[in-house]
């Protein structure tokens, strides 16, 4: 064996020895990512239920000014508030300080949740509260109601929104502008007439006047 052959043989033996001792020299394919456990998603916590509203005793509001009643209600935690015209004229309570409370929809002293809607029946300060809230007229059973003495606004609200309505002043030929301040004197069709979409005519005067 010549020297060159001996050198090559020794180099091969050394290479085999190194590979056998080096644990990194494996058949694993380089750049192959290691297997990982599938990701797990933690279960979402149960949705928190809304806590029930606190209960409080209903104050007495009747006799108070409407604005004062609303302020008191809010101070007690009642924020869902409504009001309506106790006289049945369908007037809006545009300036609450000019109105007073005649009725309330929840009796004083009753324990109720603070998210209950409170509804105050009211009239203007210079008016007397009715014994009970006047109900706005309704066109029940498709028949023409008796609107005599009712506000023109309430009468209009009781009829179908598509009804053609003419209102004239029964006294002086004035324009009927604020219909909640005018009361019906006469009507055509007469009470009890079947409503078939026909035009309706009212004569009216202001509430402080007589028909």
């Amino acid at each position: 064996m010549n020297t060159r052959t001996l050198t090559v043989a020794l180099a091969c033996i050394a290479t085999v020895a190194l590979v056998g001792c080096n644990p990194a020299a494996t058949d694993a394919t380089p750049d192959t990512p290691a297997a990982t456990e599938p990701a797990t998603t933690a279960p979402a916590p149960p949705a928190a239920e809304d806590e029930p509203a606190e209960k409080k005793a209903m104050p007495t509001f009747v006799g108070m000014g409407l604005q004062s009643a609303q302020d008191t209600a809010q101070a007690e935690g009642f924020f869902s508030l409504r009001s309506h015209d106790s006289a049945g004229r369908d007037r809006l309570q545009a300036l609450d300080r000019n109105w007073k409370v005649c009725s309330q929809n929840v009796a004083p002293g009753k324990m109720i949740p603070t998210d209950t809607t409170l509804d105050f029946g009211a009239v203007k300060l210079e008016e007397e509260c009715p014994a009970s809230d006047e109900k706005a007229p309704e066109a029940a059973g498709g028949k023409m109601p008796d609107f005599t003495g009712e506000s023109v606004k309430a009468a209009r609200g009781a009829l179908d929104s598509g009804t053609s309505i003419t209102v004239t002043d029964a006294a002086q030929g004035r324009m009927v502008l604020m219909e909640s301040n005018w009361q019906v004197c006469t009507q055509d069709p007469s009470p009890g007439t079947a409503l078939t979409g026909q035009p309706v005519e009212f004569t009216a005067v202001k509430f402080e006047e007589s028909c």
Side-chain angles (χ1 to χ4, degrees):
M1 180 181 295
N2 59 32
T3 304
R4 181 177 180 183
T5 303
L6 178 62
T7 301
V8 173
L10 291 173
C12 290
I13 294 171
T15 300
V16 172
L18 288 172
V19 172
C21 296
N22 186 359
T26 65
D27 292 333
T29 304
D31 300 328
T32 302
T36 58
E37 292 290 333
T40 57
T41 303
E49 295 183 1
D50 293 337
E51 294 185 2
E54 179 185 5
K55 284 190 174 184
K56 287 191 174 182
M58 172 57 50
T60 299
F61 295 107
V62 173
M64 298 177 67
L66 180 57
Q67 183 64 64
S68 296
Q70 292 171 337
D71 293 344
T72 301
Q74 291 176 349
E76 291 293 323
F78 298 97
F79 293 98
S80 181
L81 305 176
R82 297 174 54 188
S83 62
H84 64 273
D85 184 357
S86 284
R89 291 166 56 179
D90 200 21
R91 295 171 292 182
L92 296 177
Q93 291 73 62
L95 190 57
D96 297 332
R97 288 178 176 82
N98 290 343
W99 295 72
K100 61 185 177 184
V101 177
C102 295
S103 65
Q104 57 190 77
N105 62 328
V106 179
K110 184 176 180 178
M111 296 294 295
I112 60 170
T114 53
D115 59 359
T116 301
T117 297
L118 305 187
D119 187 11
F120 302 129
V123 296
K124 289 193 173 183
L125 296 178
E126 64 274 14
E127 299 172 349
E128 294 292 331
C129 286
S132 59
D133 278 4
E134 299 287 341
K135 300 298 182 182
E138 296 181 356
K143 302 290 186 180
M144 184 73 169
D146 185 357
F147 290 121
T148 304
E150 303 286 354
S151 79
V152 173
K153 183 180 179 183
R156 184 183 294 276
L159 298 172
D160 183 86
S161 60
T163 303
S164 297
I165 300 174
T166 302
V167 184
T168 57
D169 181 2
Q172 305 174 33
R174 297 162 293 185
M175 295 289 292
V176 180
L177 299 177
M178 187 71 72
E179 291 186 341
S180 61
N181 290 338
W182 292 72
Q183 60 175 318
V184 175
C185 292
T186 65
Q187 63 183 70
D188 182 26
S190 59
T193 302
L195 292 172
T196 58
Q198 68 270 48
V200 173
E201 296 182 1
F202 295 126
T203 64
V205 295
K206 292 188 175 183
F207 268 96
E208 62 270 18
E209 302 170 348
S210 299
C211 287

